[in-house]
Amino acid sequence: MEKNTSKKPFSFSKLIVYICLILLAITIIVPVAWVFLASVKQNKEFYGNPWTLPEKLYFQNFVDAWTKADMGSYILNSVIVTALAIAMLIAVALPAAYVLSRFKFRTCKFWNLLFMAGLFINVSYIVVPIFLMLNNWDKALYQAFGTKFFLNNLFILAVVYMATALPFTIYLLSGYFSGLAKDFEEAAYVDGAGYFTTMVKIIFPMAKPSIVTIILFNFLSFWNEYVISMTLLTDAKLKTLPVGLMNLMAAQKSAVQYGQMYAGLVIVMLPVLILYMCVQKTLTQGMTLGGLKG
């Protein structure tokens, strides 16, 4: 019996695609690898050939970046803000996206249109109005109670992050929920489950790949955000990691300590790389399953 060989012959177009992918991978891997190598070099090694390997692994750069530049407190602030923002975003966006995509009511189109309009608002354009609004609230609060709350507050920064990420998150989740078959909900209703129970125990577990996707996207956005954090947090003790990294880079450039500067870059990149490696498979599912119809 002859074997059924259904494999398509290797074509020239596939070769072009593979070459483009390899070149793209090189453009991403080489700079990242160079930063990692530069982070363990001594300062004198930067005055020679930048592509030479380090003479020895000089991990003191990480110790200096962590202690002298206070990177530890910056990381803690970023972790607190990012965790709070993602938790609030999930708590608000999941029910909102589920209701807007699965139920029809009088103002449904209005709310969908409102969130869609939010996709076209660049956050950088509204930073100053947000700052002025919070500053005015702080002035009124100080005149009434002698205290301030809205500026230099990690929780308020997390609320601003959550609010600015709502339109994209609801849009992405609504598209995924719309593609799910309604048979699951109808079966749950027949078994006596209410709307809330059906949403939490039936729909949300099915949307796990999509939820992981929006968590990762928003984590990258919140973790690397610079403009809003720099504007709303003026207290040096409350600076987040991107702002602290910029301060470190400015300080180390003037002090000509390039090793510490690149060590700080690695400290910023590591959490993102580790998170992506942990959720890579689920992230791929979330980006592909959204187009499937039940």
Side-chain angles (χ1 to χ4, degrees):
M1 181 180 294
E2 296 182 358
K3 295 183 178 179
N4 183 17
T5 56
S6 59
K7 292 184 178 180
K8 295 181 179 180
F10 191 82
S11 62
F12 180 74
S13 60
K14 283 187 177 180
L15 177 62
I16 297 298
V17 171
Y18 287 143
I19 292 175
C20 292
L21 291 175
I22 291 172
L23 292 176
L24 180 62
I26 291 174
T27 58
I28 296 174
I29 293 173
V30 170
V32 173
W34 190 89
V35 170
F36 274 86
L37 288 177
S39 67
V40 291
K41 285 185 176 181
Q42 298 188 50
N43 198 56
K44 62 181 181 180
E45 298 180 64
F46 287 93
Y47 297 98
N49 187 349
W51 297 104
T52 56
L53 295 176
E55 297 176 1
K56 64 177 182 178
L57 301 181
Y58 190 70
F59 292 105
Q60 184 64 32
N61 290 330
F62 290 91
V63 177
D64 294 338
W66 187 271
T67 55
K68 294 181 181 180
D70 204 17
M71 295 292 286
S73 63
Y74 296 148
I75 287 181
L76 178 61
N77 293 335
S78 287
V79 168
I80 293 173
V81 171
T82 303
L84 283 174
I86 290 178
M88 291 187 291
L89 182 65
I90 294 298
V92 174
L94 276 176
Y98 174 70
V99 171
L100 292 174
S101 61
R102 308 296 283 185
F103 297 94
K104 301 299 179 184
F105 48 94
R106 182 176 299 177
T107 57
C108 178
K109 291 184 178 180
F110 168 76
W111 289 110
N112 276 305
L113 183 63
L114 188 65
F115 283 115
M116 285 288 292
L119 293 172
F120 300 96
I121 299 177
N122 192 321
V123 179
S124 301
Y125 298 157
I126 61 175
V127 172
V128 174
I130 291 175
F131 171 79
L132 294 176
M133 177 184 68
L134 296 179
N135 189 43
N136 290 335
W137 290 356
D138 260 348
K139 289 180 179 178
L141 192 65
Y142 185 79
Q143 291 176 356
F145 301 100
T147 185
K148 296 183 178 181
F149 177 76
F150 295 100
L151 293 178
N152 289 316
N153 190 321
L154 295 179
F155 175 76
I156 297 299
L157 178 63
V159 172
V160 174
Y161 282 175
M162 180 270 296
T164 55
L166 268 179
F168 172 75
T169 305
I170 291 178
Y171 171 76
L172 190 65
L173 289 173
S174 296
Y176 185 87
F177 288 146
S178 298
L180 296 178
K182 293 188 177 181
D183 299 342
F184 302 103
E185 293 164 294
E186 293 173 357
Y189 297 152
V190 170
D191 291 339
Y195 293 122
F196 182 79
T197 303
T198 303
M199 178 182 68
V200 174
K201 294 187 177 181
I202 305 297
I203 301 299
F204 287 175
M206 295 175 60
K208 181 181 176 182
S210 184
I211 295 173
V212 172
T213 301
I214 61 109
I215 288 177
L216 180 60
F217 283 167
N218 286 298
F219 173 84
L220 294 175
S221 176
F222 300 158
W223 187 261
N224 296 318
E225 201 285 320
Y226 175 78
V227 176
I228 300 177
S229 175
M230 182 186 66
T231 305
L232 301 186
L233 300 178
T234 57
D235 190 345
K237 296 180 180 179
L238 298 175
K239 298 290 186 183
T240 55
L241 193 54
V243 180
L245 179 62
M246 291 300 297
N247 294 341
L248 172 66
M249 293 177 67
Q252 299 311 326
K253 279 183 179 179
S254 60
V256 201
Q257 296 293 333
Y258 297 109
Q260 295 180 25
M261 182 176 67
Y262 287 111
L265 287 172
V266 172
I267 293 174
V268 175
M269 289 191 300
L270 272 180
V272 178
L273 294 176
I274 293 172
L275 178 64
Y276 180 78
M277 287 188 291
C278 292
V279 302
Q280 181 182 8
K281 184 176 180 181
T282 309
L283 174 64
T284 305
Q285 293 176 353
M287 297 178 67
T288 56
L289 292 180
L292 300 178
K293 299 295 181 181

